Amino acid sequence: MNETFENKPKAKKTFTKLILLLISYVIIGFIVWKLATKQVGDPVKLQEQAQKELTTIVENVGKIMIIPSDETPQVAIIQDVDSLKKAQDFFKDAQNGDKILVYTKARKAIIYRDTTNQIVNVALNIGPVTDETNSAPIQQQPTSTTTSER
């Protein structure tokens, strides 16, 4: 009755080790699953986050200049500024990461740099903002995470 750990039968030791191993696999599996689901994200939450980013950008630009209040702009992120600079003078002072707000009804385009909270350039009476080299220099926000081809 006064058995020590060393005197236990070999089968009990093996069984205990197996149980501990299984428990650790379950814990590790749960952690990996939790991290994987957190990275994928809930589409509803991603859409809410994108809408919040759009609202923040529009509010920040609205503090610097008067913007159309009767429409929501399309927002894109500049990804390849060099090809855009070659295609249009409008992008001459732009940098990768700058945001472009396009108000189609008002025919206005604004390049905004959120890192410094500055308006980089404004174009009035615009036609479509395009890249004539057919590369993919900008990324649509907030509804798409792929690079738009123009």
Side-chain angles (χ1 to χ4, degrees):
M1 291 214 162
N2 233 349
E3 289 183 1
T4 62
F5 185 73
E6 291 77 32
N7 294 338
K8 286 185 179 179
K10 200 173 193 175
K12 282 188 177 182
K13 288 182 183 180
T14 305
F15 181 73
T16 304
K17 288 179 183 178
L18 182 63
I19 293 297
L20 290 174
L21 186 64
L22 285 174
I23 289 172
S24 20
Y25 282 148
V26 168
I27 291 171
I28 291 170
F30 177 76
I31 291 170
V32 168
W33 173 77
K34 203 66 167 154
L35 290 173
T37 56
K38 193 178 265 189
Q39 287 179 354
V40 171
D42 180 16
V44 174
K45 287 183 181 179
L46 291 174
Q47 183 65 27
E48 288 173 0
Q49 180 182 356
Q51 187 60 43
K52 186 177 178 180
E53 284 181 42
L54 174 65
T55 302
T56 302
I57 291 168
V58 171
E59 285 175 357
N60 289 343
V61 172
K63 291 176 184 175
I64 300 171
M65 67 179 287
I66 297 173
I67 56 175
S69 60
D70 61 339
E71 71 176 299
T72 302
Q74 293 180 347
V75 178
I77 300 173
I78 296 177
Q79 301 265 316
D80 184 9
V81 74
D82 293 330
S83 69
L84 288 171
K85 286 179 181 181
K86 291 175 188 173
Q88 296 179 5
D89 261 355
F90 174 67
F91 296 102
K92 70 178 179 173
D93 296 321
Q95 296 177 355
N96 287 333
D98 287 352
K99 313 294 188 281
I100 303 172
L101 287 77
V102 179
Y103 291 90
T104 53
K105 286 195 303 188
R107 297 176 46 101
K108 181 185 283 190
I110 303 164
I111 300 177
Y112 170 69
R113 186 167 300 141
D114 60 348
T115 56
T116 59
N117 195 33
Q118 292 179 313
I119 302 296
V120 175
N121 203 352
V122 177
L124 303 174
N125 297 320
I126 61 163
V129 177
T130 62
D131 173 19
E132 295 166 3
T133 63
N134 289 325
S135 63
I138 57 177
Q139 178 180 6
Q140 286 294 111
Q141 284 286 322
T143 56
S144 174
T145 56
T146 59
T147 304
S148 64
E149 295 181 30
R150 305 206 177 215

